[in-house]
Amino acid sequence: MTFRTLMMRIGSFIFGAFLLAEVSSANAMFINGGFETGDFTGWTVSDIGGGSSGVGVDGSAIPGESASFEPAFVNVRGGTQAAFAVVATSLGEFLSLSQTIDLAAGTYNTGFFMGNDNAAEFGINGAISNEHLGIFVDGNNIGFDVRFPDNSFPVGTLPTDTEEFSSEFSVLGGLHTIEFRISGSGNVRPGISVDDAFLNRVADNGISVPEPSTLAVFALGLLGLGMARRTRKTAW
Ligand SMILES: [Ca+2]
Ligand SMILES: [Ca+2]
């Protein structure tokens, strides 16, 4: 291989690795965000203040729920499985789901979908506790954008009968913990379905912090140059 060929190969390798780094950083993902493993694999789970939680298939009864405490069935938004929680805001109960992920610097959009498979309104109007239902990043409540009209939770058995809770946050590169706190309302303990947790990088904020993978590629490139020089010396 000539020195020129070697340099071209190193160059294209660096260029390709740059593209790879850009793609991977733009697709930060939760492990098992859709609960399709049938359990909480990837998640750190805590039933705070009581309550209970698990993962079930669409339409399956939520254990411990009775018909009077609605909703009593798992409503799946994507795939065949969804998580459920049996919690009541007024009792201080909530389900905590979190993952710690190595994020590139930038702004992210994250959230989850809540569902109700029972033909009765699951109102959370006026009963939302910011400590018990929300999105937390590194322990800080970043609020959420609830996209349903009139602040009343929709009903129905379809995947579309779920509502998105989401919010944006900006971080420097490194390990960050994203936590979803999930709860209901009132004095009863409604079962809530949770599915399709998501995490998307939406902007890099112009923060030009080299990513570890990029630095590693540069190091490899320099190593390649050094080897090329040495090869030339040996050959000549
Ligand atoms: Ca699912
Ligand atoms: Ca359903």
Side-chain angles (χ1 to χ4, degrees), residues 10-24 211 213-214 216-218 220:
I10 289 173
S12 59
F13 174 67
I14 289 175
F15 182 66
F18 259 120
L19 291 179
L20 207 63
E22 199 49 48
V23 168
S24 62
E211 294 164 19
S213 57
T214 308
V217 167
F218 272 124
L220 278 173

Side-chain angles (χ1 to χ4, degrees), residues 146-164:
V146 187
R147 304 176 189 207
F148 53 86
D150 305 325
N151 226 16
S152 62
F153 207 84
V155 296
T157 61
L158 299 174
T160 49
D161 296 324
T162 56
E163 289 301 334
E164 177 182 336

Side-chain angles (χ1 to χ4, degrees), residues 108-187:
Y108 292 79
N109 182 40
T110 190
F112 58 91
F113 289 80
M114 273 172 60
N116 170 8
D117 212 13
N118 195 299
E121 183 170 315
F122 169 43
I124 59 173
N125 184 25
I128 293 176
S129 161
N130 288 334
E131 292 303 309
H132 302 151
L133 176 61
I135 301 170
F136 291 69
V137 175
D138 298 328
N140 300 310
N141 190 340
I142 63 169
F144 53 73
D145 170 21
V146 187
R147 304 176 189 207
F148 53 86
D150 305 325
N151 226 16
S152 62
F153 207 84
V155 296
T157 61
L158 299 174
T160 49
D161 296 324
T162 56
E163 289 301 334
E164 177 182 336
F165 292 69
S166 64
S167 193
E168 289 192 353
F169 64 95
S170 297
V171 289
L172 296 175
L175 290 175
H176 296 282
T177 299
I178 296 134
E179 177 193 8
F180 301 133
R181 295 186 184 180
I182 293 144
S183 190
S185 68
N187 297 315

Side-chain angles (χ1 to χ4, degrees), residues 177-218:
T177 299
I178 296 134
E179 177 193 8
F180 301 133
R181 295 186 184 180
I182 293 144
S183 190
S185 68
N187 297 315
V188 298
R189 300 172 62 187
I192 298 164
S193 297
V194 182
D195 205 3
D196 292 343
F198 59 90
L199 174 63
N200 300 307
R201 192 181 187 213
V202 293
D204 64 9
N205 289 4
I207 302 171
S208 83
V209 181
E211 294 164 19
S213 57
T214 308
L215 291 174
V217 167
F218 272 124

